[in-house]
Amino acid sequence: MAKQLDYHTIREIFTRFQASEAEPKGELDHVNAYTLVVAVALSAQATDKGVNKATAELFKIADTPQKMLDLGEEQLIEHIKTIGLYRNKAKNVIKLSRLLVEDYGGEVPNSRAALESLPGVGRKTANVVLNMWWHYPAQAVDTHIYRFGNRSGVCPGKDVVAVERAIEDHIPTDFQQHAHHWMILHGRYICTARKPKCNACHIRDLCQFEEKTP
C-alpha cells in the first residue's frame, strides 16, 4: 500500500484526468434509474460488455419494476443466462422489483440506505446509482479503484470502505462528481492488474507504484 499523496499531487492527477476526458461515463447501458439498478446488480463478477449484451433486448420489454414482474423469473433467466451467477441474480432482480412496486410505488429511491435495502444491492451498487442517475458525488469503489488507489497513493486503504473514505477526504471537491469514473476507467484500461501500461500512463511521474512497467 502506497502512502497517501498530498493535496497538490492529487489535484494535478485529477486535472490531467479531466483534461483527458472532461465528462467520463459509466459503461453500463440503461434507460432510467430502474434499469441502471438492474444493470449494476447484474454486473457483479461480470463484465460491463457482457451485461450490456444480455440486457439489450431485456430492457426493451422490461424497463420498469412492474414489467419485470410481468416478465417473470424464468423469462428473465433466458435473457441473462450468459452472465455469471444468473439464477441468483434473477431471483434478486424479481425480489427488488416486487419491493419497489410494493414499498416505493414503482420508483427507485434515492437514499443510500433505501437502495441498500433492495435485494442484491450493496453499497457499491447504491453509490453507482446515486452518482450516475442523481449526480450525487458518491464513490463506488470496485476492484479497479481499490488497486489504483493503493498503487498510486491517491486513495490507499485496507478495504473498500477505507478507500471510499480516502476519496471523499482527499480528492478536491470539484473533482468528486467524476472521480470514481476516472479511476475505474484508468484501472480498467491503463493500471491493469497483471501488466499495468505504465508507459501509456499520463500520471506516471506522480504515481508511487514502485514496480512500474517500462
Side-chain angles (χ1 to χ4, degrees):
M1 184 189 302
K3 73 174 183 178
Q4 178 68 57
L5 290 171
D6 64 75
Y7 173 83
H8 298 291
T9 303
I10 292 176
R11 173 162 282 284
E12 176 60 24
I13 286 172
F14 282 90
T15 297
R16 294 183 191 182
F17 281 154
Q18 187 177 58
S20 177
E21 187 170 5
E23 296 284 336
K25 305 293 183 185
E27 297 184 321
L28 283 172
D29 294 338
H30 60 284
V31 296
N32 54 28
Y34 172 70
T35 54
L36 179 58
V37 171
V38 172
V40 181
L42 293 177
S43 71
Q45 298 181 47
T47 65
D48 288 0
K49 186 177 180 180
V51 172
N52 289 341
K53 186 176 180 180
T55 59
E57 294 302 316
L58 173 65
F59 289 161
K60 291 178 182 178
I61 58 175
D63 60 354
T64 69
Q66 187 58 58
K67 288 179 183 177
M68 191 67 76
L69 292 176
D70 293 342
L71 182 68
E73 188 175 325
E74 290 306 313
Q75 286 301 308
L76 171 57
I77 285 173
E78 287 301 307
H79 283 277
I80 67 170
K81 62 185 179 182
T82 56
I83 301 174
L85 307 174
Y86 66 91
R87 289 192 183 279
N88 188 55
K89 289 176 180 178
K91 289 183 186 299
N92 282 333
V93 168
I94 294 298
K95 286 179 182 177
L96 74 83
S97 299
R98 184 169 291 113
L99 201 61
L100 288 173
V101 169
E102 293 176 352
D103 293 354
Y104 296 98
E107 299 293 325
V108 176
N110 63 351
S111 81
R112 184 183 287 116
L115 285 165
E116 286 191 65
S117 73
L118 301 174
V121 175
R123 187 177 184 87
K124 175 193 156 190
T125 298
N127 282 345
V128 170
V129 176
L130 290 172
N131 182 284
M132 289 181 64
W133 193 256
W134 283 289
H135 308 296
Y136 177 77
Q139 308 300 331
V141 178
D142 70 352
T143 183
H144 300 300
I145 291 180
Y146 184 81
R147 178 176 64 252
F148 167 72
N150 279 292
R151 275 180 177 173
S152 65
V154 168
C155 48
K158 66 182 186 302
D159 55 39
V160 295
V161 175
V163 170
E164 183 181 330
R165 177 59 60 84
I167 295 171
E168 293 173 345
D169 287 351
H170 294 282
I171 294 176
T173 302
D174 48 317
F175 296 120
Q176 287 277 336
Q177 178 63 51
H178 296 308
H180 91 272
H181 278 132
W182 280 316
M183 290 189 285
I184 285 172
L185 294 171
H186 193 73
R188 183 174 290 163
Y189 297 112
I190 301 295
C191 194
T192 51
R194 293 186 179 179
K195 290 185 178 180
K197 300 176 178 66
C198 298
N199 60 336
C201 178
H202 53 294
I203 62 164
R204 178 186 176 117
D205 58 314
L206 304 174
C207 173
Q208 294 195 70
F209 186 46
E210 294 180 354
E211 301 170 28
K212 292 185 176 72
T213 56

